[in-house]
Each structure stands twice: as C-alpha cells, then as structure tokens.
C-alpha cells in the first residue's frame, strides 16, 4: 500500500490460521511459511481462483485495495488497526547501529603471496580441489529429490544454471474470458543460487557484489537475461559492531550489483544471530537469481559437445590489477594451504555486465556450443568440469578431453594461472567455423579473449610455460562425482 500510494483493508476472519483462537496481534505477526500475498486485477478474480483450484492450493480473498492511504484491519467487525501505511514503512523511524570494521581484516588485507610456495604438483592439487565438498558434484544431494517435476526441467542439475519450462497448460483455459491457455506461450526460466561466504568474510562489500555477479554470469552461461533476485542474508549477532559492519557492507554490495544487472530484489529473508561461543558464521548473503531465455535455441550448458570444437576464454586469464592474482580467499588457499585470508578478487560490475551481454550476443547468433563460468577453483577446475559434467543417463557421464595451451599467458605464478579465481571469466567452446566471427565480435565489443585449445581425446592436457598437466578425464570425473558420497558414508 505504501509503495503504491494506496490504502489496504484486511478482514482477519478470512485469513487462514494455523490454530484456533489466535489474536489479531498473532495473526498479523505470524511467520507461517509457504504463503504469498497477491493483488488481483478487478474482473480477473475467477481466473486466479481457477488456477489455485487446478493446483489444489488453498486460497482466500482477505481484503481489498483502498484509496485512503491507511492500513485498516478488521477483526469480528471491529477495527483493530487504522494507521498510515507510509508511517509503517517509508516514514517509520530509522536507527543506525554502531558498526566497526572487524579487526581481523587488517591482517587479511595485508596478506601477500610472498610466503606461499607456487604449486609443484598441479595434477594432485587439481584432484584435491575436485574432491573438496565445495567444488565436488552435489549429486548425492539432488538425487534424493525429484528435480523433474511434471517433466518441466530442461537443464538438470550439473550445469551453471537450472532451466525449467513453464508449460502453456500451467494456465487453465478460461472459456469466454481473456487468458485461454492457447494464448500463453511456454516460457523458459533459468535459476542459479550463489554466494562465496569466504569472499564476504574477507571483504563484505566486494563479496556482496561478487555473489550477485556470479549468479548473473551463471544465467548468461545458460542463455538467460536476469529478471529478479531473492536473497537469504545469513549473519551473526547484529548488535556486535563488527557483525553489523559485515551486514551493512554486504547489503551495500548486493544492492549496487542488483542495480547494475537490473535485477530487483523481489523478496527474501534474513537469518541473524547465527553463531556459537566460538564466534559467528561466515557472513553469507545467498543470492538466488532468476532469468528468462527468450528462445529455446539459446539454452546453453557448460559441458563440451564435439571433438574438434575450439575452446576460448572470455576475459583475462589473470586480473593484472589484483595483487593476489585471484588467489585471495580462493579454494586453492583454503584447501591446499589451510588459509582463509587475503583480499578476494575484485569485482568490476561494468566489466561483468559487458561480458554477459557479449556472451548472450554470441549465443543469440548460434555460435556457442558450451559456456561455463570460472569461479571456485579457477581455470583448471572450470576446464575439468566442462569435460565431464554432463550425465546422459544414470551413471553414464559424457566425457570429453581437452588440449589446452597456456604457455603464452605470461603469468609468473602457476598456481594463480591454474587455480586463481579472477572474476569476469567464461570458458566457451564453438565450432571452428565460427571462430572468426566470435573473435571479430569480441574485438568490436572490447571484451578480452584468448584461444585456449580444442576439445578431444580422453585426457585434460594443460601445457604451461614450465610443465604439462595430463589427467585422465575418467579419473577426474570419478573423484569429483563420488567425493561427497564417500564422505557421507565415512569412507
């Protein structure tokens, strides 16, 4: 009512209640789950009721919009609330809690790579990262629920974003009324959920931006343009100045990124006081972003498709403006060195947006066979995932090898080149006949790119200036696919 400049009137007797004898106060403030409030156009009420009835969902018409500007609540015919809607929202009192940058950030921001030895066994380190639960396949989880409800899933778990089809018959036919189901074309929606809590711990503002940017990048890799966001803000006790600093700065980063990607936060929830005597959880502003794919031909997945396809990296191999070359807060530092420190890779939102728009243009032209963003684990992990993340049938992965040449990348540290997590990077594969068009497009759009190699063989081969990595794709897949199941079974 406040946002719309209107009023609203509610009859609490019509509100479904979780138990008998609830007071008006309890009904208004109850946080019962699985509920949604919608405003229906006048004259369309019967259509909405038929939709709910079709899906066997309970519904109740509990009130109406008014022009009074007030929120009026009735209970058994008695007015129990009559107050300005704006007074409760936009004109309500605002208080500012004390905030203070956490003391640990002074040392984490001062961290440099001088005392960290470069990788001397990238093959073993790649395997360790693929087995790490944060990176390993989550099939142990998603196989335990139905992710093919009504057979509307277009892209199953395992790619950058899930894609579902909203079928035309989701809208019931309404004889004699506008809205016949034949007039509703199918829609394709892509969804991704992202947040790197360690990034947010090390720099709440940059981490908040990065969570939104990664979600948008995952949607772009699926062929989708963002529509909106729901967030889940998980933090410790906001009465502690250091925790409130994390919350305030993370929300600032999330809000800034949502504005850049034109993805409004349409809802969400906040979970505070998540801590124990040893301290608070890592601040985790989880971002769930939904986007729309305008054409079914644009649905794109992250796995390589054909032997001989060319592999390109969109974006720079390593961010030259990052003193830690993408290793700050990285999975590599955590998993291989036991360190949660450094400054996370900086997130340039305009560069991210330009990259996504360029990729969507390429997808729209039909030039892209696969697209996969570089995130946890860096370039080497992303390449490995592109080789084996598709399952054709149960326990039947589709495996593709790749021959990669990074000898001209010019990065002094091998660990940064292979496992650094610099932002705004996407691996694509394409038919060789489309390479020239892609290169010309990237140059026109001023998006950095480099040719990495080609799809083929049964190994992931990465040639660097100093050594060669040669890993069996079947072995890498086995590690990645079974790691969580083995841990859950205690093996």
């Amino acid at each position: 009512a406040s946002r719309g400049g209107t009023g609203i009137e509610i009859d609490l007797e019509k509100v479904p209640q979780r138990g008998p004898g609830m007071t008006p106060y309890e009904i208004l403030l109850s946080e019962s789950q699985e509920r949604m409030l919608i405003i229906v156009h006048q004259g369309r009420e019967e259509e909405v009721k038929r939709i709910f009835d079709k899906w066997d969902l309970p519904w109740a018409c509990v009130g109406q919009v008014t022009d009074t500007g007030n929120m009026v609540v009735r209970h058994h015919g008695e007015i129990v609330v009559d107050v300005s809607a704006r007074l409760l929202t936009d004109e309500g009192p605002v208080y500012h809690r004390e905030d203070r940058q956490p003391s640990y950030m002074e040392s984490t921001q001062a961290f440099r790579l001088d005392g960290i030895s470069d990788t001397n066994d990238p093959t073993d380190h790649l395997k360790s990262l693929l087995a790490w639960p944060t990176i390993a396949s989550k099939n142990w989880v998603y196989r335990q629920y139905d992710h093919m409800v009504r057979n509307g899933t277009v892209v199953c778990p395992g790619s950058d974003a899930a894609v579902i089809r909203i079928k035309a018959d989701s809208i019931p036919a309404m004889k004699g009324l506008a809205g016949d189901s034949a007039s509703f074309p199918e829609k394709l929606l892509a969804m991704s959920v992202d947040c790197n809590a360690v990034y947010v711990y090390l720099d709440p503002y940059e981490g908040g931006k990065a969570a939104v940017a990664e979600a948008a990048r995952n949607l772009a890799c699926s062929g989708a343009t963002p529509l909106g966001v729901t967030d889940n803000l998980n933090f410790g006790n906001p009465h502690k100045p250091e925790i409130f600093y994390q919350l305030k700065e993370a929300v600032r980063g999330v809000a800034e990124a949502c504005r850049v990607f034109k993805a409004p936060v349409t809802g969400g929830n906040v979970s505070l006081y998540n801590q124990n005597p040893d301290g608070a959880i890592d601040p985790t502003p989880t971002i769930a972003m939904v986007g729309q794919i305008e054409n079914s031909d644009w649905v794109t997945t992250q796995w390589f498709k054909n032997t001989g396809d060319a592999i390109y990296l969109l974006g720079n191999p390593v961010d030259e403006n990052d003193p830690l070359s993408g290793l700050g807060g990285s999975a590599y530092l955590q998993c291989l060195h036991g360190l949660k420190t450094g400054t996370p890779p900086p997130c340039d939102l305009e560069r991210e947006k330009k990259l996504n728009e360029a990729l969507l243009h390429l997808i729209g032209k039909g030039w892209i066979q696969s697209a996969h963003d570089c995130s946890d684990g860096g370039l080497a992990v992303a390449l490995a995932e592109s080789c084996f993340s598709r399952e054709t049938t149960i326990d039947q992965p589709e495996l593709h090898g790749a021959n990669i040449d990074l000898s001209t990348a010019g990065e002094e540290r091998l660990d940064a080149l292979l496992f650094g997590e610099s932002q705004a990077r996407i691996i694509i594969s394409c038919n060789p006949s489309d390479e020239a068009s892609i290169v010309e497009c990237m140059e026109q759009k001023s998006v950095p790119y480099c040719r990495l190699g080609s799809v083929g063989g049964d190994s992931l081969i990465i040639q660097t200036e100093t050594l060669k990595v040669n890993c069996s794709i079947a072995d890498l897949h086995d590690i990645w696919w079974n790691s969580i199941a083995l841990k859950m079974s205690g093996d």
Side-chain angles (χ1 to χ4, degrees), residues 102-240:
S103 57
Y104 66 78
M105 289 182 63
E106 183 175 350
S107 61
T108 58
Q109 291 180 349
F111 172 79
R112 292 295 179 266
L113 297 171
D114 300 342
I116 303 296
S117 58
D118 201 347
T119 178
N120 56 5
D121 191 350
T123 299
D124 186 62
H125 290 170
L126 174 59
K127 292 178 179 179
S128 296
L129 286 168
L130 290 172
W132 200 42
T134 298
I135 291 174
S137 170
K138 309 305 185 292
N139 71 85
W140 184 88
V141 178
Y142 64 70
R143 283 185 165 195
Q144 299 186 48
Y145 66 85
D146 182 5
H147 52 267
M148 293 291 290
V149 177
R150 295 190 72 238
N151 199 28
T153 306
V154 178
V155 177
C156 294
S159 196
D160 278 355
V163 178
I164 62 170
R165 181 174 68 252
I166 307 300
K167 299 180 181 180
D169 69 356
S170 295
I171 309 297
M174 302 296 296
K175 294 182 179 179
L177 292 174
D180 191 301
S181 59
S183 66
F184 289 92
E186 290 188 346
K187 294 183 182 295
L188 293 171
L189 298 181
M191 297 168 285
S192 180
V193 181
D194 295 283
C195 183
N196 189 320
V198 173
Y199 286 0
V200 187
Y201 169 82
L202 296 173
D203 188 325
Y205 170 67
E206 287 293 331
K209 289 195 301 180
V212 178
E214 183 177 358
R217 199 160 61 242
N218 283 331
L219 291 191
C221 287
S222 72
T225 302
L227 293 175
V229 161
T230 182
D231 58 14
N232 175 210
L233 307 178
N234 304 279
F235 291 80
N237 183 353
H239 291 275
K240 297 181 179 295

Side-chain angles (χ1 to χ4, degrees), residues 97-99 234-247 271-276 279-281 283:
R97 292 200 183 280
E98 179 186 359
D99 66 274
N234 304 279
F235 291 80
N237 183 353
H239 291 275
K240 297 181 179 295
E242 294 84 358
I243 300 297
F244 190 72
Y245 174 90
Q246 292 177 338
L247 175 60
S271 178
L272 304 176
Y273 307 98
N274 294 290
Q275 56 190 77
N276 57 43
I281 64 166

